[in-house]
Coordinates of all heavy atoms in Angstrom, one line a residue:
M1 N -27.4 51.1 -1.2 CA -28.2 51.4 -2.4 C -29.1 50.2 -2.6 O -28.7 49.1 -2.6 CB -27.3 51.7 -3.6 CG -28.1 51.9 -4.8 SD -27.1 52.2 -6.3 CE -26.0 53.4 -5.8
G2 N -30.4 50.5 -2.8 CA -31.4 49.4 -3.0 C -31.3 48.9 -4.4 O -30.7 49.5 -5.3
S3 N -31.9 47.8 -4.6 CA -31.9 47.1 -5.9 C -32.5 48.0 -7.0 O -31.9 48.1 -8.1 CB -32.7 45.8 -5.9 OG -32.7 45.2 -7.1
N4 N -33.6 48.7 -6.7 CA -34.2 49.6 -7.7 C -33.3 50.7 -8.1 O -33.2 51.1 -9.2 CB -35.5 50.1 -7.2 CG -36.6 49.0 -7.2 OD1 -36.5 48.0 -7.8 ND2 -37.6 49.2 -6.4
E5 N -32.6 51.3 -7.1 CA -31.7 52.4 -7.4 C -30.5 51.9 -8.2 O -30.1 52.7 -9.1 CB -31.2 53.0 -6.1 CG -32.2 53.7 -5.2 CD -31.6 54.2 -3.9 OE1 -30.5 54.7 -3.9 OE2 -32.3 54.0 -2.9
A6 N -30.0 50.8 -8.0 CA -28.9 50.2 -8.7 C -29.3 50.0 -10.2 O -28.4 50.1 -11.0 CB -28.4 49.0 -8.1
D7 N -30.5 49.7 -10.4 CA -31.0 49.4 -11.8 C -31.5 50.6 -12.5 O -31.8 50.5 -13.7 CB -32.0 48.2 -11.7 CG -31.4 46.9 -11.2 OD1 -30.2 46.7 -11.4 OD2 -32.2 46.1 -10.7
D8 N -31.7 51.7 -11.9 CA -32.3 52.9 -12.5 C -31.5 53.3 -13.7 O -32.0 53.9 -14.7 CB -32.4 54.0 -11.6 CG -33.6 53.9 -10.6 OD1 -34.4 53.0 -10.8 OD2 -33.6 54.6 -9.6
W9 N -30.2 53.1 -13.7 CA -29.3 53.5 -14.8 C -29.8 52.9 -16.2 O -29.6 53.5 -17.2 CB -27.8 53.3 -14.6 CG -27.5 51.9 -14.5 CD1 -27.4 51.1 -13.3 CD2 -27.1 51.0 -15.5 NE1 -27.0 49.8 -13.6 CE2 -26.8 49.7 -15.0 CE3 -27.0 51.1 -16.9 CZ2 -26.5 48.6 -15.7 CZ3 -26.7 50.0 -17.7 CH2 -26.4 48.8 -17.1
T10 N -30.3 51.7 -16.1 CA -30.7 51.0 -17.3 C -31.8 51.8 -18.1 O -31.9 51.7 -19.3 CB -31.2 49.6 -17.0 OG1 -32.3 49.6 -16.2 CG2 -30.1 48.8 -16.4
L11 N -32.6 52.5 -17.4 CA -33.7 53.3 -18.0 C -33.1 54.5 -18.8 O -33.8 55.0 -19.7 CB -34.6 53.8 -17.0 CG -35.3 52.7 -16.1 CD1 -36.2 53.4 -15.0 CD2 -36.2 51.8 -17.0
L12 N -31.9 54.9 -18.5 CA -31.3 56.0 -19.2 C -30.3 55.6 -20.3 O -29.7 56.4 -21.0 CB -30.5 56.9 -18.2 CG -31.3 57.4 -17.0 CD1 -30.4 58.0 -16.0 CD2 -32.4 58.3 -17.5
A13 N -30.1 54.3 -20.5 CA -29.1 53.8 -21.4 C -29.5 54.0 -22.9 O -30.7 53.8 -23.2 CB -28.8 52.3 -21.2
N14 N -28.6 54.3 -23.8 CA -28.9 54.4 -25.2 C -29.4 53.1 -25.8 O -30.2 53.1 -26.7 CB -27.6 54.7 -26.0 CG -27.1 56.1 -25.8 OD1 -27.8 56.9 -25.1 ND2 -25.9 56.4 -26.3
C15 N -29.1 52.0 -25.2 CA -29.4 50.7 -25.7 C -30.8 50.2 -25.1 O -31.2 49.1 -25.5 CB -28.3 49.7 -25.4 SG -28.1 49.4 -23.7
R16 N -31.4 50.9 -24.4 CA -32.7 50.5 -23.7 C -33.6 49.9 -24.8 O -33.9 50.6 -25.8 CB -33.4 51.7 -23.0 CG -34.6 51.3 -22.3 CD -35.1 52.4 -21.5 NE -36.4 52.1 -21.0 CZ -37.4 52.9 -21.0 NH1 -37.3 54.2 -21.3 NH2 -38.6 52.5 -20.5
G17 N -34.0 48.7 -24.6 CA -34.9 48.0 -25.5 C -34.2 47.4 -26.7 O -34.9 46.9 -27.7
M18 N -32.9 47.4 -26.7 CA -32.2 46.8 -27.9 C -31.3 45.6 -27.5 O -30.2 45.4 -28.0 CB -31.2 47.9 -28.4 CG -31.9 49.2 -28.9 SD -30.7 50.5 -29.3 CE -30.0 49.8 -30.8
A19 N -31.8 44.8 -26.6 CA -31.0 43.7 -26.1 C -30.3 42.9 -27.1 O -29.1 42.6 -27.0 CB -31.8 42.8 -25.2
D20 N -31.0 42.5 -28.2 CA -30.4 41.6 -29.2 C -29.2 42.3 -29.9 O -28.3 41.6 -30.3 CB -31.4 41.2 -30.2 CG -32.5 40.3 -29.6 OD1 -32.2 39.7 -28.6 OD2 -33.5 40.1 -30.3
A21 N -29.3 43.6 -30.0 CA -28.2 44.3 -30.7 C -26.9 44.3 -29.9 O -25.8 44.5 -30.5 CB -28.6 45.7 -31.0
L22 N -27.0 44.0 -28.6 CA -25.8 44.1 -27.8 C -25.1 42.8 -27.6 O -24.1 42.7 -26.8 CB -26.2 44.7 -26.5 CG -26.7 46.2 -26.6 CD1 -27.2 46.7 -25.3 CD2 -25.7 47.1 -27.2
F23 N -25.6 41.8 -28.2 CA -25.0 40.4 -28.1 C -24.6 39.9 -29.5 O -25.0 38.8 -29.8 CB -26.0 39.5 -27.4 CG -26.2 39.9 -26.0 CD1 -27.3 40.8 -25.6 CD2 -25.3 39.6 -25.0 CE1 -27.5 41.2 -24.3 CE2 -25.5 40.0 -23.7 CZ -26.6 40.8 -23.3
P24 N -23.9 40.7 -30.3 CA -23.5 40.2 -31.6 C -22.2 39.4 -31.6 O -21.5 39.2 -30.6 CB -23.2 41.6 -32.3 CG -22.6 42.4 -31.2 CD -23.4 42.0 -29.9
D25 N -22.0 38.8 -32.8 CA -20.8 38.0 -33.0 C -19.8 38.8 -33.8 O -20.2 39.6 -34.7 CB -21.1 36.7 -33.7 CG -21.9 35.8 -32.9 OD1 -21.6 35.7 -31.6 OD2 -22.8 35.1 -33.4
G26 N -18.5 38.5 -33.6 CA -17.4 39.1 -34.4 C -17.5 40.5 -34.8 O -17.5 41.4 -33.9
K27 N -17.5 40.8 -36.1 CA -17.4 42.2 -36.6 C -18.5 43.1 -36.1 O -18.4 44.3 -36.1 CB -17.2 42.2 -38.1 CG -15.9 41.7 -38.6 CD -15.8 41.9 -40.1 CE -16.4 40.7 -40.8 NZ -16.3 40.7 -42.2
E28 N -19.7 42.4 -35.9 CA -20.9 43.2 -35.5 C -20.7 43.9 -34.1 O -21.4 44.8 -33.8 CB -22.1 42.3 -35.5 CG -22.6 41.9 -36.9 CD -23.0 43.1 -37.7 OE1 -23.8 43.9 -37.2 OE2 -22.6 43.3 -38.8
Q29 N -19.7 43.5 -33.4 CA -19.4 44.1 -32.1 C -19.1 45.6 -32.2 O -19.4 46.4 -31.4 CB -18.3 43.3 -31.3 CG -18.8 42.0 -30.8 CD -17.7 41.3 -30.0 OE1 -16.6 41.6 -30.1 NE2 -18.1 40.2 -29.4
R30 N -18.4 45.9 -33.3 CA -18.1 47.3 -33.5 C -19.3 48.2 -33.6 O -19.4 49.3 -33.1 CB -17.3 47.5 -34.8 CG -15.9 47.1 -34.7 CD -15.1 47.4 -35.9 NE -13.8 46.8 -35.8 CZ -13.0 46.5 -36.8 NH1 -13.4 46.7 -38.0 NH2 -11.8 45.9 -36.6
R31 N -20.4 47.7 -34.3 CA -21.6 48.4 -34.4 C -22.3 48.6 -33.0 O -22.7 49.7 -32.7 CB -22.6 47.7 -35.4 CG -23.8 48.5 -35.7 CD -24.8 47.7 -36.6 NE -25.1 46.4 -36.1 CZ -26.0 46.2 -35.1 NH1 -26.6 47.2 -34.5 NH2 -26.3 45.0 -34.8
A32 N -22.2 47.5 -32.3 CA -22.8 47.6 -30.9 C -22.1 48.6 -30.0 O -22.7 49.3 -29.3 CB -22.8 46.2 -30.3
R33 N -20.8 48.6 -30.2 CA -20.0 49.6 -29.4 C -20.3 51.0 -29.7 O -20.2 51.9 -28.8 CB -18.5 49.3 -29.6 CG -18.0 48.0 -29.0 CD -16.6 47.7 -29.3 NE -15.8 48.8 -28.7 CZ -14.5 48.8 -28.8 NH1 -13.9 47.9 -29.4 NH2 -13.8 49.8 -28.2
R34 N -20.7 51.3 -30.9 CA -21.0 52.7 -31.3 C -22.3 53.1 -30.6 O -22.4 54.3 -30.3 CB -21.3 52.8 -32.8 CG -20.0 52.8 -33.6 CD -20.2 53.2 -35.0 NE -21.0 52.3 -35.8 CZ -20.6 51.3 -36.6 NH1 -19.3 51.2 -36.8 NH2 -21.4 50.6 -37.2
I35 N -23.2 52.2 -30.2 CA -24.4 52.6 -29.4 C -23.9 53.1 -28.1 O -24.5 54.1 -27.5 CB -25.3 51.4 -29.3 CG1 -25.8 50.9 -30.6 CG2 -26.4 51.7 -28.3 CD1 -26.5 49.6 -30.6
C36 N -22.8 52.6 -27.6 CA -22.4 53.0 -26.2 C -21.5 54.3 -26.2 O -21.3 54.9 -25.2 CB -21.5 51.9 -25.7 SG -22.2 50.3 -25.6
A37 N -21.1 54.7 -27.4 CA -20.1 55.8 -27.5 C -20.5 57.0 -26.7 O -19.6 57.6 -26.0 CB -19.8 56.1 -28.9
D38 N -21.7 57.5 -26.8 CA -22.1 58.7 -26.2 C -23.1 58.5 -25.1 O -23.8 59.4 -24.7 CB -22.6 59.8 -27.2 CG -23.9 59.3 -27.9 OD1 -24.2 58.1 -27.8 OD2 -24.5 60.2 -28.5
C39 N -23.2 57.3 -24.6 CA -24.2 56.9 -23.6 C -23.8 57.5 -22.2 O -22.6 57.4 -21.7 CB -24.3 55.4 -23.4 SG -25.6 54.9 -22.3
R40 N -24.7 58.2 -21.6 CA -24.4 58.9 -20.3 C -24.3 57.9 -19.1 O -23.8 58.3 -18.0 CB -25.4 60.0 -20.0 CG -26.8 59.5 -19.8 CD -27.8 60.6 -19.6 NE -29.1 60.2 -19.5 CZ -30.1 61.0 -19.4 NH1 -29.9 62.3 -19.2 NH2 -31.4 60.6 -19.3
V41 N -24.7 56.7 -19.3 CA -24.6 55.7 -18.2 C -23.5 54.6 -18.5 O -23.6 53.5 -17.9 CB -25.9 55.1 -17.8 CG1 -26.8 56.1 -17.2 CG2 -26.6 54.4 -19.0
R42 N -22.6 54.9 -19.4 CA -21.6 54.0 -19.8 C -20.8 53.4 -18.6 O -20.6 52.2 -18.5 CB -20.7 54.6 -20.8 CG -19.7 53.7 -21.4 CD -19.0 54.4 -22.6 NE -18.0 53.5 -23.1 CZ -17.2 53.8 -24.1 NH1 -17.3 55.0 -24.7 NH2 -16.3 53.0 -24.5
P43 N -20.3 54.3 -17.7 CA -19.6 53.7 -16.5 C -20.4 52.8 -15.7 O -19.9 51.7 -15.2 CB -19.2 55.0 -15.7 CG -19.3 56.1 -16.7 CD -20.4 55.7 -17.6
E44 N -21.7 53.1 -15.4 CA -22.5 52.2 -14.6 C -22.7 50.8 -15.3 O -22.7 49.8 -14.7 CB -23.9 52.8 -14.4 CG -23.8 54.0 -13.5 CD -23.6 55.4 -14.2 OE1 -23.1 55.4 -15.3 OE2 -23.8 56.4 -13.5
C45 N -22.9 50.9 -16.6 CA -23.1 49.7 -17.4 C -21.8 48.8 -17.4 O -21.9 47.6 -17.1 CB -23.4 50.1 -18.8 SG -23.7 48.7 -19.9
L46 N -20.7 49.4 -17.6 CA -19.4 48.7 -17.6 C -19.2 48.1 -16.2 O -18.7 46.9 -16.1 CB -18.3 49.6 -18.0 CG -16.9 48.9 -18.1 CD1 -16.9 47.7 -19.0 CD2 -15.8 49.9 -18.5
A47 N -19.4 48.9 -15.2 CA -19.2 48.4 -13.8 C -20.1 47.2 -13.5 O -19.7 46.2 -12.9 CB -19.5 49.5 -12.8
E48 N -21.3 47.2 -14.0 CA -22.3 46.1 -13.8 C -21.7 44.8 -14.4 O -21.7 43.8 -13.8 CB -23.6 46.4 -14.5 CG -24.6 45.3 -14.5 CD -25.3 45.2 -13.2 OE1 -25.2 46.0 -12.3 OE2 -26.0 44.1 -13.0
A49 N -21.1 44.9 -15.6 CA -20.6 43.8 -16.3 C -19.3 43.3 -15.6 O -19.1 42.1 -15.4 CB -20.3 44.1 -17.7
L50 N -18.4 44.2 -15.2 CA -17.2 43.8 -14.5 C -17.4 43.2 -13.1 O -16.8 42.2 -12.8 CB -16.2 45.0 -14.5 CG -15.7 45.4 -15.9 CD1 -15.0 46.8 -15.7 CD2 -14.8 44.4 -16.5
D51 N -18.2 43.9 -12.4 CA -18.5 43.4 -11.0 C -19.2 42.1 -10.9 O -19.0 41.3 -10.0 CB -19.3 44.5 -10.2 CG -18.5 45.6 -9.8 OD1 -17.2 45.5 -9.6 OD2 -19.1 46.7 -9.5
N52 N -20.0 41.8 -12.0 CA -20.8 40.6 -12.0 C -20.2 39.5 -12.9 O -20.8 38.5 -13.2 CB -22.3 40.9 -12.3 CG -22.9 41.7 -11.2 OD1 -23.0 41.2 -10.1 ND2 -23.3 42.9 -11.5
R53 N -19.0 39.8 -13.5 CA -18.3 38.9 -14.4 C -19.2 38.4 -15.5 O -19.3 37.3 -15.8 CB -17.7 37.7 -13.6 CG -16.8 38.1 -12.5 CD -15.6 38.9 -13.0 NE -14.5 39.0 -12.0 CZ -14.3 40.1 -11.2 NH1 -15.2 41.1 -11.2 NH2 -13.3 40.1 -10.4
L54 N -20.0 39.4 -16.1 CA -20.9 39.0 -17.2 C -20.0 38.7 -18.5 O -19.1 39.5 -18.8 CB -21.8 40.2 -17.6 CG -22.7 40.6 -16.4 CD1 -23.6 41.8 -16.8 CD2 -23.6 39.4 -16.0
E55 N -20.2 37.5 -19.0 CA -19.3 37.0 -20.1 C -19.8 37.4 -21.5 O -19.0 37.2 -22.4 CB -19.2 35.5 -19.9 CG -18.5 35.1 -18.6 CD -18.3 33.7 -18.5 OE1 -18.3 33.0 -19.6 OE2 -18.0 33.2 -17.4
W56 N -21.0 37.7 -21.7 CA -21.6 37.9 -23.1 C -22.0 39.3 -23.4 O -22.5 40.0 -22.5 CB -22.7 36.9 -23.3 CG -22.4 35.5 -22.8 CD1 -23.0 34.9 -21.7 CD2 -21.5 34.6 -23.4 NE1 -22.5 33.6 -21.6 CE2 -21.5 33.4 -22.6 CE3 -20.6 34.7 -24.5 CZ2 -20.8 32.3 -22.9 CZ3 -19.8 33.6 -24.7 CH2 -19.9 32.4 -24.0
G57 N -21.8 39.7 -24.6 CA -22.3 40.9 -25.1 C -21.4 42.1 -24.9 O -20.3 42.0 -24.3
V58 N -21.8 43.2 -25.4 CA -21.1 44.5 -25.2 C -21.7 45.3 -24.1 O -22.9 45.5 -24.1 CB -21.2 45.3 -26.5 CG1 -20.6 46.7 -26.3 CG2 -20.5 44.6 -27.7
W59 N -20.9 45.6 -23.1 CA -21.4 46.3 -21.9 C -20.5 47.5 -21.7 O -19.3 47.4 -21.7 CB -21.3 45.5 -20.7 CG -22.3 44.3 -20.7 CD1 -22.2 43.2 -21.3 CD2 -23.5 44.3 -19.9 NE1 -23.3 42.4 -21.0 CE2 -24.1 43.1 -20.2 CE3 -24.2 45.2 -19.1 CZ2 -25.4 42.7 -19.6 CZ3 -25.4 44.9 -18.5 CH2 -26.0 43.7 -18.8
G60 N -21.0 48.7 -21.6 CA -20.2 49.9 -21.3 C -19.2 50.2 -22.4 O -18.2 50.7 -22.2
G61 N -19.5 49.7 -23.6 CA -18.6 50.0 -24.7 C -17.5 49.0 -24.9 O -16.6 49.1 -25.7
M62 N -17.5 47.9 -24.0 CA -16.4 46.9 -24.1 C -16.9 45.6 -24.5 O -18.0 45.2 -24.0 CB -15.7 46.8 -22.7 CG -14.9 48.1 -22.4 SD -13.9 47.9 -20.8 CE -12.5 47.0 -21.5
T63 N -16.2 44.9 -25.3 CA -16.5 43.5 -25.7 C -16.1 42.5 -24.6 O -15.4 42.9 -23.6 CB -15.8 43.1 -27.0 OG1 -14.4 43.1 -26.7 CG2 -16.1 44.1 -28.1
E64 N -16.6 41.3 -24.8 CA -16.2 40.3 -23.8 C -14.7 40.1 -23.7 O -14.2 40.1 -22.5 CB -16.8 38.9 -24.3 CG -18.3 38.9 -24.5 CD -18.7 38.5 -25.9 OE1 -17.9 37.9 -26.6 OE2 -19.8 38.7 -26.2
R65 N -14.0 40.1 -24.8 CA -12.6 39.9 -24.8 C -11.9 41.1 -24.0 O -11.0 40.9 -23.2 CB -12.0 39.9 -26.2 CG -10.5 39.6 -26.3 CD -10.1 39.5 -27.7 NE -10.6 38.2 -28.2 CZ -10.5 37.8 -29.4 NH1 -9.9 38.6 -30.3 NH2 -10.9 36.6 -29.8
E66 N -12.3 42.3 -24.3 CA -11.7 43.5 -23.6 C -12.0 43.5 -22.1 O -11.1 43.8 -21.3 CB -12.3 44.8 -24.2 CG -11.9 45.0 -25.6 CD -12.7 46.1 -26.3 OE1 -13.9 46.3 -26.0 OE2 -12.2 46.8 -27.2
R67 N -13.2 43.0 -21.7 CA -13.5 43.0 -20.3 C -12.6 41.9 -19.6 O -12.1 42.1 -18.5 CB -15.0 42.7 -20.0 CG -15.8 43.9 -20.4 CD -17.2 43.8 -19.9 NE -17.9 42.5 -20.2 CZ -18.5 42.2 -21.3 NH1 -18.6 43.1 -22.3 NH2 -19.1 41.1 -21.4
R68 N -12.5 40.7 -20.3 CA -11.7 39.7 -19.7 C -10.2 40.1 -19.5 O -9.6 39.9 -18.5 CB -11.7 38.4 -20.6 CG -13.0 37.6 -20.4 CD -12.8 36.2 -21.1 NE -12.5 36.3 -22.5 CZ -13.4 36.2 -23.5 NH1 -14.7 36.2 -23.2 NH2 -13.0 36.3 -24.7
R69 N -9.7 40.8 -20.5 CA -8.3 41.3 -20.4 C -8.2 42.3 -19.2 O -7.3 42.2 -18.4 CB -7.9 42.0 -21.7 CG -6.4 42.5 -21.7 CD -6.0 43.1 -23.0 NE -6.7 44.3 -23.2 CZ -7.4 44.6 -24.3 NH1 -7.5 43.7 -25.3 NH2 -8.1 45.7 -24.4
L70 N -9.1 43.2 -19.1 CA -9.1 44.2 -18.0 C -9.2 43.5 -16.7 O -8.4 43.9 -15.7 CB -10.3 45.2 -18.2 CG -10.3 46.3 -17.2 CD1 -9.1 47.2 -17.2 CD2 -11.6 47.2 -17.5
L71 N -10.0 42.5 -16.5 CA -10.1 41.8 -15.3 C -8.8 41.1 -14.9 O -8.4 41.0 -13.8 CB -11.3 40.8 -15.3 CG -12.7 41.4 -15.3 CD1 -13.7 40.4 -15.6 CD2 -13.0 42.1 -13.9
R72 N -8.2 40.5 -15.9 CA -6.9 39.9 -15.7 C -5.8 40.9 -15.3 O -4.9 40.6 -14.5 CB -6.4 39.1 -17.0 CG -7.0 37.8 -17.2 CD -6.2 37.0 -18.3 NE -6.0 37.7 -19.5 CZ -6.9 37.7 -20.5 NH1 -8.0 37.1 -20.5 NH2 -6.6 38.4 -21.6
E73 N -5.8 42.1 -15.9 CA -4.8 43.1 -15.7 C -5.0 43.7 -14.3 O -4.1 44.3 -13.7 CB -4.9 44.2 -16.8 CG -4.4 43.7 -18.1 CD -4.6 44.7 -19.2 OE1 -5.2 45.8 -18.9 OE2 -4.2 44.4 -20.3
R74 N -6.2 43.8 -13.8 CA -6.5 44.4 -12.5 C -7.3 43.5 -11.5 O -8.4 43.8 -11.1 CB -7.4 45.7 -12.8 CG -6.7 46.8 -13.6 CD -5.6 47.5 -12.9 NE -6.0 47.9 -11.6 CZ -6.5 49.1 -11.3 NH1 -6.8 49.9 -12.2 NH2 -6.8 49.4 -10.0
P75 N -6.6 42.4 -11.1 CA -7.3 41.5 -10.2 C -7.5 42.1 -8.8 O -8.2 41.6 -8.0 CB -6.3 40.3 -10.1 CG -5.0 40.9 -10.5 CD -5.3 42.0 -11.5
D76 N -6.8 43.3 -8.5 CA -6.9 43.9 -7.2 C -8.2 44.7 -7.0 O -8.5 45.0 -5.9 CB -5.7 44.9 -7.1 CG -5.6 45.9 -8.2 OD1 -5.7 45.5 -9.4 OD2 -5.5 47.1 -8.0
V77 N -8.9 45.0 -8.1 CA -10.1 45.8 -8.0 C -11.2 44.9 -7.4 O -11.6 43.9 -8.0 CB -10.5 46.4 -9.3 CG1 -11.8 47.1 -9.2 CG2 -9.4 47.3 -9.9
T78 N -11.8 45.4 -6.3 CA -12.9 44.6 -5.7 C -14.3 45.2 -6.0 O -15.3 44.5 -5.9 CB -12.8 44.6 -4.2 OG1 -12.7 45.9 -3.7 CG2 -11.5 43.8 -3.8
S79 N -14.3 46.5 -6.4 CA -15.5 47.1 -6.9 C -15.3 48.0 -8.1 O -14.8 49.2 -7.9 CB -16.2 48.0 -5.7 OG -17.3 48.7 -6.2
W80 N -15.6 47.6 -9.2 CA -15.5 48.4 -10.4 C -16.4 49.5 -10.4 O -16.1 50.6 -10.9 CB -15.7 47.5 -11.7 CG -14.5 46.7 -11.9 CD1 -14.3 45.3 -11.6 CD2 -13.3 47.1 -12.5 NE1 -13.1 44.9 -12.0 CE2 -12.4 46.0 -12.5 CE3 -12.8 48.3 -13.1 CZ2 -11.1 46.0 -13.1 CZ3 -11.6 48.3 -13.6 CH2 -10.7 47.2 -13.6
R81 N -17.5 49.4 -9.8 CA -18.5 50.5 -9.7 C -17.8 51.7 -8.9 O -17.9 52.8 -9.4 CB -19.8 50.1 -8.9 CG -20.8 51.2 -8.8 CD -22.1 50.6 -8.2 NE -23.1 51.6 -8.2 CZ -23.8 52.0 -9.2 NH1 -23.7 51.5 -10.4 NH2 -24.7 53.0 -9.1
D82 N -17.2 51.4 -7.8 CA -16.5 52.5 -7.1 C -15.4 53.1 -7.9 O -15.3 54.3 -8.0 CB -15.9 51.9 -5.8 CG -16.9 51.5 -4.7 OD1 -18.1 51.9 -4.9 OD2 -16.5 50.8 -3.8
V83 N -14.6 52.3 -8.6 CA -13.5 52.8 -9.4 C -14.0 53.7 -10.6 O -13.6 54.8 -10.8 CB -12.7 51.7 -10.0 CG1 -11.7 52.2 -11.0 CG2 -11.9 51.0 -8.8
L84 N -15.0 53.1 -11.3 CA -15.5 53.8 -12.5 C -16.3 55.1 -12.2 O -16.2 56.1 -12.9 CB -16.3 52.9 -13.4 CG -15.4 51.8 -14.0 CD1 -16.3 50.7 -14.7 CD2 -14.4 52.3 -15.0
L85 N -17.1 55.0 -11.1 CA -17.9 56.2 -10.8 C -17.0 57.3 -10.2 O -17.3 58.5 -10.4 CB -19.1 55.8 -9.9 CG -20.1 54.9 -10.6 CD1 -21.3 54.6 -9.7 CD2 -20.5 55.4 -12.0
A86 N -16.0 56.9 -9.4 CA -15.0 57.9 -8.9 C -14.3 58.5 -10.0 O -14.1 59.7 -10.0 CB -14.1 57.2 -7.9
D87 N -13.9 57.7 -11.0 CA -13.2 58.3 -12.2 C -14.1 59.3 -12.9 O -13.7 60.3 -13.4 CB -12.7 57.2 -13.1 CG -11.9 57.6 -14.2 OD1 -11.0 58.5 -14.0 OD2 -12.1 57.2 -15.4
Q88 N -15.4 58.9 -13.1 CA -16.3 59.8 -13.8 C -16.5 61.1 -13.0 O -16.5 62.1 -13.6 CB -17.7 59.0 -13.9 CG -18.8 59.8 -14.6 CD -20.1 59.1 -14.6 OE1 -20.4 58.4 -13.7 NE2 -20.8 59.3 -15.7
A89 N -16.6 61.0 -11.7 CA -16.8 62.2 -10.9 C -15.5 63.1 -11.0 O -15.6 64.3 -11.1 CB -17.0 61.9 -9.4
S90 N -14.4 62.5 -11.0 CA -13.1 63.2 -11.1 C -13.0 63.9 -12.5 O -12.6 65.1 -12.6 CB -11.9 62.3 -11.0 OG -10.7 62.9 -11.4
Q91 N -13.5 63.3 -13.6 CA -13.5 63.9 -14.9 C -14.4 65.0 -15.0 O -14.2 66.0 -15.6 CB -13.8 62.8 -16.0 CG -12.6 61.8 -16.2 CD -13.0 60.8 -17.2 OE1 -14.0 60.8 -17.8 NE2 -12.1 59.8 -17.3
S92 N -15.6 64.9 -14.4 CA -16.6 65.9 -14.4 C -16.1 67.1 -13.6 O -16.3 68.3 -14.1 CB -17.9 65.4 -13.7 OG -18.5 64.5 -14.5
K93 N -15.4 66.9 -12.5 CA -14.9 68.0 -11.7 C -13.8 68.7 -12.5 O -13.8 70.0 -12.6 CB -14.4 67.5 -10.4 CG -13.9 68.6 -9.5 CD -13.4 68.1 -8.2 CE -12.9 69.2 -7.3 NZ -12.4 68.6 -6.0
S94 N -13.0 68.0 -13.2 CA -11.9 68.5 -14.0 C -12.4 69.4 -15.1 O -11.9 70.4 -15.4 CB -11.0 67.4 -14.5 OG -10.0 67.9 -15.4
A95 N -13.5 68.9 -15.8 CA -14.1 69.6 -16.9 C -14.7 70.9 -16.4 O -14.6 71.9 -17.1 CB -15.2 68.7 -17.5
R96 N -15.3 70.9 -15.2 CA -15.9 72.2 -14.7 C -14.8 73.2 -14.4 O -14.9 74.4 -14.6 CB -16.7 71.9 -13.4 CG -18.0 71.3 -13.8 CD -18.9 71.3 -12.5 NE -18.3 70.6 -11.4 CZ -18.5 69.4 -11.0 NH1 -19.3 68.6 -11.8 NH2 -18.0 68.9 -10.0
V97 N -13.6 72.7 -13.9 CA -12.5 73.6 -13.5 C -11.9 74.3 -14.8 O -11.6 75.4 -14.8 CB -11.4 72.9 -12.7 CG1 -10.2 73.7 -12.6 CG2 -12.0 72.4 -11.4
K98 N -11.9 73.5 -15.9 CA -11.3 74.0 -17.1 C -12.2 75.0 -17.8 O -11.7 75.8 -18.6 CB -11.0 72.9 -18.1 CG -9.8 72.0 -17.6 CD -9.6 70.8 -18.6 CE -8.5 69.9 -18.0 NZ -8.3 68.8 -18.9
S99 N -13.5 75.0 -17.6 CA -14.4 75.9 -18.3 C -14.3 77.3 -17.9 O -13.8 77.7 -16.9 CB -15.8 75.4 -18.0 OG -16.0 74.1 -18.5

């Protein structure tokens, strides 16, 4: 996948153009997480942060602390993008079967 393709998801994000809102301190992180709640590119965003070990801000609905904990709990994962997008595809398929 080329660089442009990998970054296309950012154009679809709920937070597009809201960079400052996604780097809050303390209690304000809850407000930032609400922006992510129904975002259709949440898995891509979270994968970006986890794969690149981004330390600041809310990414994919997770705070810095939550991402650090997840990385400690799952040191075996070499590509969060693969894991999260496979999980997303699995959930979509399951939802179609139940309909």
Side-chain angles (χ1 to χ4, degrees):
M1 177 182 310
S3 176
N4 288 340
E5 291 175 44
D7 295 334
D8 284 347
W9 65 265
T10 62
L11 300 175
L12 303 172
N14 287 355
C15 63
R16 183 173 171 221
M18 302 173 68
D20 291 343
L22 300 175
F23 295 93
D25 291 324
K27 291 186 273 184
E28 288 296 310
Q29 289 182 345
R30 286 185 186 158
R31 186 181 57 75
R33 290 176 63 181
R34 284 194 296 261
I35 295 168
C36 304
D38 66 345
C39 185
R40 64 184 176 179
V41 293
R42 188 174 174 179
E44 291 88 344
C45 180
L46 181 56
E48 176 79 11
L50 293 169
D51 284 337
N52 294 296
R53 304 302 195 260
L54 300 177
E55 295 183 18
W56 311 111
V58 173
W59 290 80
M62 292 185 83
T63 65
E64 301 123 14
R65 182 177 291 172
E66 291 167 330
R67 292 193 311 274
R68 282 193 303 267
R69 184 179 64 235
L70 183 57
L71 289 168
R72 278 193 310 271
E73 290 173 357
R74 295 291 311 273
D76 57 311
V77 176
T78 58
S79 172
W80 284 99
R81 182 174 182 80
D82 290 347
V83 169
L84 293 170
L85 295 184
D87 187 46
Q88 181 183 33
S90 169
Q91 288 177 4
S92 292
K93 184 177 180 181
S94 175
R96 284 193 304 266
V97 170
K98 290 179 183 177
S99 298

